[in-house]
Amino acid sequence: VKGILFYTVPNVHDPKYAKYYLLTLGLATLWLAAQAYVMTICLNYLGCALGISQIVMGNTLGAIGTSFPNLVASVITAKQGFAGMSVCQAIGSNTFNILIALGVNWFFQAIAGNCLFGSRSSVTEWCHGCFMPTGFQGSCPRAEGYAFTGAPGSILGSSLVVLVCLAIMIAALLCTKGKFTKYSAYTFILWYFLWLAYQILASFAVMKPICVAGDICV
């Protein structure tokens, strides 16, 4: 991968290629998208072969693979003395993922219209939209005659978790007067592993998913 990038993306640190910075940015973005797509496909097949659900694969290897570059960038900028940039980079990247990455995806899905329902059951019909915001395993939550089962990792449930994490971060900043301490770090890490353990246990039906308001499953 490093060799391919070396020979296909102009190195703007070289003075003779400095003027091609826009081309470098565009090619780097295209390669990043291609590698993310390949990683997602590989994780999907790996999870299928090992009998691990897509939720577990996405919350573990998928999340780590896509967030690790952000972690490295934050550590580098923090060591260089740009603590504010480090924090803003972490928050800004996730804001971009939620508003743009998901937003663009849903936008084109809304334009496309319908998707075939029945991949998980014998019901075959067309319904509006392919996403399961309330955590149902079926694509058409109101399809008559289909037995629904709550599933962890729904869109609304995940959004609720994000809001709770944001509240914890703000509370930590208020308690430490705007400074991140090691106790704040311990709290964040502990919260992540508790949430990850719940997702794994709920995905393997060891425990029931936590559903709010009846059908919004966390």
Side-chain angles (χ1 to χ4, degrees):
V1 174
K2 187 175 181 180
I4 294 176
L5 295 178
F6 178 80
Y7 287 106
T8 58
V9 180
N11 183 8
V12 294
H13 293 288
D14 190 333
K16 64 180 180 179
Y17 294 119
K19 61 182 179 180
Y20 299 111
Y21 63 93
L22 290 178
L23 177 62
T24 298
L25 179 61
L27 291 175
T29 302
L30 290 177
W31 274 117
L32 181 62
Q35 293 173 20
Y37 177 77
V38 172
M39 184 195 72
T40 302
I41 296 298
C42 291
L43 287 178
N44 188 27
Y45 280 105
L46 179 62
C48 182
L50 298 177
I52 303 175
S53 68
Q54 294 180 352
I55 294 175
V56 175
M57 296 299 292
N59 286 332
T60 54
L61 297 179
I64 294 173
T66 55
S67 299
F68 192 77
N70 294 333
L71 174 62
V72 173
S74 296
V75 171
I76 292 176
T77 53
K79 287 184 176 180
Q80 293 177 346
F82 303 104
M85 182 184 297
S86 177
V87 175
C88 292
Q89 184 272 339
I91 297 176
S93 62
N94 286 280
T95 303
F96 179 87
N97 290 337
I98 294 174
L99 299 181
I100 303 300
L102 291 180
V104 171
N105 189 18
W106 294 340
F107 173 75
F108 284 108
Q109 170 55 35
I111 293 178
N114 300 323
C115 64
L116 183 63
F117 172 71
S119 61
R120 291 177 178 266
S121 74
S122 59
V123 180
T124 302
E125 63 182 51
W126 290 90
C127 65
H128 186 70
C130 296
F131 300 101
M132 291 74 77
T134 56
F136 289 116
Q137 291 181 348
S139 297
C140 300
R142 300 295 180 264
E144 186 177 355
Y146 182 78
F148 301 106
T149 303
S154 68
I155 296 176
L156 292 180
S158 299
S159 300
L160 181 62
V161 172
V162 171
L163 292 177
V164 172
C165 291
L166 180 61
I168 293 177
M169 186 187 73
I170 294 175
L173 286 174
L174 292 176
C175 293
T176 58
K177 298 181 180 180
K179 297 180 180 180
F180 283 110
T181 65
K182 62 180 180 180
Y183 300 106
S184 300
Y186 295 152
T187 302
F188 298 155
I189 294 173
L190 176 62
W191 173 254
Y192 172 76
F193 280 105
L194 287 175
W195 173 80
L196 185 61
Y198 156 75
Q199 290 286 332
I200 295 174
L201 294 176
S203 298
F204 284 102
V206 177
M207 62 179 295
K208 293 183 179 180
I210 300 174
C211 296
V212 183
D215 58 0
I216 301 176
C217 300
V218 177

